[in-house]
Amino acid sequence: MSETIHDGIVGSGFQFASGGAVGRADNPYPASTLLLQQPHLRARGIDLDALVPGWFVGTINVVLPYGLVLAKADMTADLLDWTSDLGDPKAHIPPESFSFVHGTLHHGGARYPGLIYYPHPETKPSVNAHHYDVMEVIAPPVAGLRRGDPVAIACRASAFVPRGG
C-alpha cells in the first residue's frame, strides 16, 4: 500500500466536535457532536472506541497548504440521522454523510494512529462549513500539541486527490 504524507499546521476548528462550543449562541448541539454521532456510527459498524482506543473527544484540525477531496474512504456512513432524537428542534439538521480514512498523525517525533474524519461537504450544515484545506483527525491525546504546531498526516495515497485537479 502506497502512503502519502500531508504536511500542515494545527489550526482551530468550530469546537463542535469536542463540545467546547456547547452553550455558545452559534451552536445548537447539547454536547460534543462526535459523542452525539458515536452511537449512530456504531450502529453502522463504525466504532470509534475500537478503531482509535483512548481517542480524544474532538478533532485535530490540520491546515494544509492545498485543498483535498475524498477519493476513496475506508468506511462511510451515508446520510446518518444523528440529530432527530435531540430534544431541541434547533439542533435538528438533515442527515449527514461521514467517511473515515485510517491515518497516522506525526508530531514531535511521535506517531499517533487514528482516523481522518471527513464530513461530506454536500451534506454538512452551513453553521460549520467544510474547508477543503483542513483535515480533521481523530486520535488519542497528543502530548504537547498546540495550535500552530507543524504536524504531518500519513494515509493511503489513493484516499484523497487535489481539489480541482
Side-chain angles (χ1 to χ4, degrees):
M1 172 183 79
S2 176
E3 273 194 340
T4 297
I5 304 289
H6 299 284
D7 293 309
I9 61 165
V10 177
S12 55
F14 296 102
Q15 298 185 326
F16 292 170
S18 67
V22 170
R24 220 171 55 198
D26 66 335
N27 178 22
Y29 309 114
S32 152
T33 57
L34 276 176
L35 290 179
L36 294 170
Q37 293 162 7
Q38 188 177 19
H40 302 277
L41 290 167
R42 190 178 297 121
R44 299 275 188 99
I46 302 171
D47 185 348
L48 298 178
D49 291 328
L51 291 163
V52 187
W55 62 287
F56 169 79
V57 176
T59 60
I60 299 165
N61 292 277
V62 179
V63 181
L64 306 173
Y66 44 81
L68 293 173
V69 293
L70 182 68
K72 187 170 191 300
D74 293 322
M75 298 158 279
T76 298
D78 282 319
L79 299 176
L80 195 71
D81 183 6
W82 64 275
T83 65
S84 65
D85 58 352
L86 299 177
D88 184 350
K90 290 183 285 194
H92 296 185
I93 59 171
E96 290 183 89
S97 295
F98 300 94
S99 287
F100 299 86
V101 173
H102 292 284
T104 304
L105 182 77
H106 299 247
H107 175 261
R111 305 173 96 184
Y112 301 87
L115 294 171
I116 299 165
Y117 170 78
Y118 190 88
H120 288 245
E122 66 277 11
T123 64
K124 196 168 166 115
S126 61
V127 292
N128 59 341
H130 182 76
H131 296 280
Y132 292 94
D133 64 341
V134 175
M135 282 185 144
E136 295 185 58
V137 179
I138 297 172
V142 176
L145 186 70
R146 303 228 186 294
R147 188 176 305 129
D149 282 357
V151 293
I153 303 168
C155 67
R156 183 174 33 80
S158 60
F160 295 91
V161 296
R163 182 170 189 232

